[in-house]
Amino acid sequence: MSARTPYVIKGETGDWELVMGLEVHAQVSSNSKLFSGAATAFGADPNCNVSLVDAAMPGMLPVINRFCVEQAIRTGLGLKAKINTYSRFDRKNYFYPDLPQGYQISQFAHPIVGEGEIDVDVEPAHGGDAYSFPCRIERLHLEQDAGKSIHDMDPSSTYVDLNRAGVALMEIVSMPDVRSPAEAAAYVKKLRAIVIALGTCDGDMEKGNLRADVNVSVCRPGQYEKFRETGDFSHLGTRCELKNMNSFRFIQQAIEYEARRQIEILEDGGKIDQETRLFDPVKVETRSMRSKEDAHDYRYFPDPDLLPLEFDDAYVEALAADLPELPDDKKARLMSDMGLSAYDASILVSEKAIADYFEAVAKGRDGKTAANWVINDLLGALNKAGKTIAETPVSADQLGAVLDLIAE
């Protein structure tokens, strides 16, 4: 792994650098919703997985799903973050047609998980050596999802599907430690690998079960270092939030466009408006959605229908004792036990399905040879064909038999 170098964008008036923080929404793997017993299965007919609580019928009271709480704690442990034995649910007030309560039950002042840190392995998109950087986690909090507004069924009407309303989400908020489009994609990949390994989220981005909001700002070289020294956000530029990104490629394309848009405005003497923007993957550009709200705009206050969430250290320790092997631990084991390079081990642990396939192939065989065949031959062919490891026509037993023949 090489050293991390700044990602510099050339402008008409000099160099610029990127600074980003991400908010990743991961749907909790649970058969029922955060505050009701309604099902969470994907693909049901519209408004079938909706309880009276989800529909906000008068007099209906939320009841916390204990399993969702455990899933959030497991995720916090996987992020090497502080688990808060006291947390509280708040009401976040805003008004959408697909939010029947008129507020979202979330956590604001007292989240269930505090500060943590993960190491992110990056392979630059435009060549260059791979490297690793630490990204600080600010918090993880639990909240309920909203429903879905459907605008393309009728030219004059909007339809509302409440199947997702009340589904449990973990919002994982990073510090502004991400400095390039490739780093942003690598960070989301690392989080996805962690939650899949833990079994706390299935990581299915196509279904929207894991999606990212990217807060993008640009600044002159040296300003980020001043921010890290002082903690003063005024050293960083005004940020714009790119909402609901569900593809690694789209994340990088959106950041590239947004950074250059902001630089052009600043170099023309303008100023950046803090706002939420959407990415159009067809036109490969971002467009304004709404002005960006601050915390006071949501009028947070403690939810009067829910008691604070309290548990003891023994409860956390019991969950920690049952955690599966995490990607970083697996990577270290593959490097020490099989002599794999950091680069090869990183690829193999990037997805649980790839790691499981490789370990089945390598069992009782030479690890380096197995890694070479899985990474270069199998994954190379699958990538070229646009397929995933789950769609491979070659089973682990079959590839293992090929390696046995070669060894003979």
Side-chain angles (χ1 to χ4, degrees):
M1 291 282 181
S2 64
R4 186 187 193 194
T5 56
Y7 179 82
V8 177
I9 301 174
K10 300 288 184 182
E12 294 290 335
T13 62
D15 292 344
W16 296 85
E17 292 182 359
L18 268 170
V19 181
M20 289 169 285
L22 285 84
E23 302 165 10
V24 174
H25 295 82
Q27 179 176 321
V28 176
S29 291
S30 169
N31 291 331
S32 53
K33 297 183 180 181
L34 185 56
F35 298 114
S36 80
T40 60
F42 180 81
D45 289 337
N47 296 308
C48 288
N49 295 344
V50 186
S51 74
L52 296 177
V53 174
D54 308 322
M57 293 297 173
M60 296 296 102
L61 297 176
V63 178
I64 188 69
N65 183 332
R66 181 189 181 100
F67 182 70
C68 291
V69 173
E70 293 176 356
Q71 293 285 64
I73 295 172
R74 289 189 186 97
T75 304
L77 292 168
L79 299 174
K80 297 180 173 55
K82 180 180 184 294
I83 307 301
N84 296 320
T85 55
Y86 173 93
S87 61
R88 190 185 74 199
F89 286 99
D90 301 282
R91 289 188 180 180
K92 179 181 181 181
N93 296 273
Y94 61 95
F95 302 96
Y96 284 160
D98 51 21
L99 191 69
Q101 294 162 310
Y103 59 84
Q104 179 187 35
I105 302 177
S106 182
Q107 293 184 314
F108 176 59
H110 300 280
I112 191 170
V113 176
E115 295 181 354
E117 184 174 288
I118 61 173
D119 290 320
V120 181
D121 297 322
V122 185
E123 186 178 356
H126 303 297
D129 296 328
Y131 63 93
S132 178
F133 76 96
C135 186
R136 294 171 294 165
I137 304 297
E138 180 183 340
R139 57 190 278 143
L140 176 155
H141 61 262
L142 277 169
E143 63 184 21
Q144 57 178 180
D145 204 354
K148 181 180 180 181
S149 294
I150 303 168
H151 307 291
D152 56 3
M153 289 180 63
D154 187 287
S156 59
S157 301
T158 291
Y159 289 78
V160 175
D161 180 6
L162 294 180
N163 279 348
R164 287 190 69 92
V167 167
L169 299 177
M170 298 178 288
E171 182 171 340
I172 304 166
V173 182
S174 84
M175 293 294 286
D177 290 346
V178 180
R179 306 298 310 282
S180 76
E183 287 186 2
Y187 168 77
V188 178
K189 285 180 183 177
K190 184 60 177 285
L191 280 186
R192 182 175 179 272
I194 290 172
V195 296
I196 290 175
L198 291 166
T200 57
C201 172
D202 66 13
D204 193 328
M205 299 179 75
E206 288 187 6
K207 294 178 181 176
N209 294 352
L210 190 138
R211 52 194 191 267
D213 300 340
V214 187
N215 292 294
V216 180
S217 65
V218 296
C219 63
R220 293 295 189 180
Q223 293 299 108
Y224 176 75
E225 287 70 22
K226 291 180 181 178
F227 157 71
R228 288 299 300 262
E229 290 173 6
T230 63
D232 184 355
F233 281 87
S234 67
H235 292 296
L236 307 180
T238 301
R239 72 186 189 276
C240 291
E241 181 184 46
L242 307 181
K243 196 74 174 171
N244 287 336
M245 310 295 296
N246 66 346
S247 155
F248 302 127
R249 181 165 60 91
F250 292 165
I251 286 173
Q252 295 186 75
Q253 289 178 338
I255 292 169
E256 291 270 10
Y257 177 89
E258 179 61 22
R260 296 189 183 280
R261 184 191 73 87
Q262 292 185 21
I263 290 169
E264 287 181 10
I265 292 173
L266 293 170
E267 292 192 325
D268 286 342
K271 68 183 187 72
I272 304 301
D273 294 324
Q274 185 173 323
E275 60 181 351
T276 297
R277 300 180 67 85
L278 293 177
F279 177 64
D280 185 333
V282 177
K283 296 182 179 179
V284 193
E285 63 183 26
T286 64
R287 64 175 186 269
S288 181
M289 179 183 177
R290 61 174 182 265
S291 62
K292 174 64 177 170
E293 298 89 347
D294 289 314
H296 63 265
D297 295 317
Y298 291 117
R299 295 180 293 115
Y300 282 99
F301 63 87
D303 193 300
D305 294 333
L306 289 161
L307 290 169
L309 192 58
E310 298 184 75
F311 43 81
D312 56 22
D313 291 333
Y315 181 63
V316 178
E317 290 166 5
L319 293 173
D322 197 36
L323 289 183
E325 187 178 40
L326 292 167
D328 283 350
D329 298 326
K330 190 185 294 290
K331 175 183 172 182
R333 176 171 60 80
L334 295 181
M335 291 170 64
S336 63
D337 293 357
M338 298 187 184
L340 301 188
S341 68
Y343 176 76
D344 285 352
S346 296
I347 293 175
L348 293 170
V349 303
S350 62
E351 292 189 28
K352 185 176 184 297
I354 294 175
D356 292 344
Y357 184 98
F358 166 73
E359 295 214 72
V361 172
K363 188 174 182 180
R365 302 181 177 95
D366 179 69
K368 290 184 178 180
T369 303
N372 183 56
W373 273 83
V374 171
I375 294 170
N376 297 322
D377 295 280
L378 180 66
L379 293 182
L382 289 173
N383 289 337
K384 191 173 181 179
K387 295 181 180 295
T388 66
I389 191 71
E391 299 170 303
T392 177
V394 183
S395 71
D397 287 342
Q398 289 173 323
L399 182 53
V402 170
L403 299 189
D404 290 340
L405 290 171
I406 294 171
E408 291 174 8

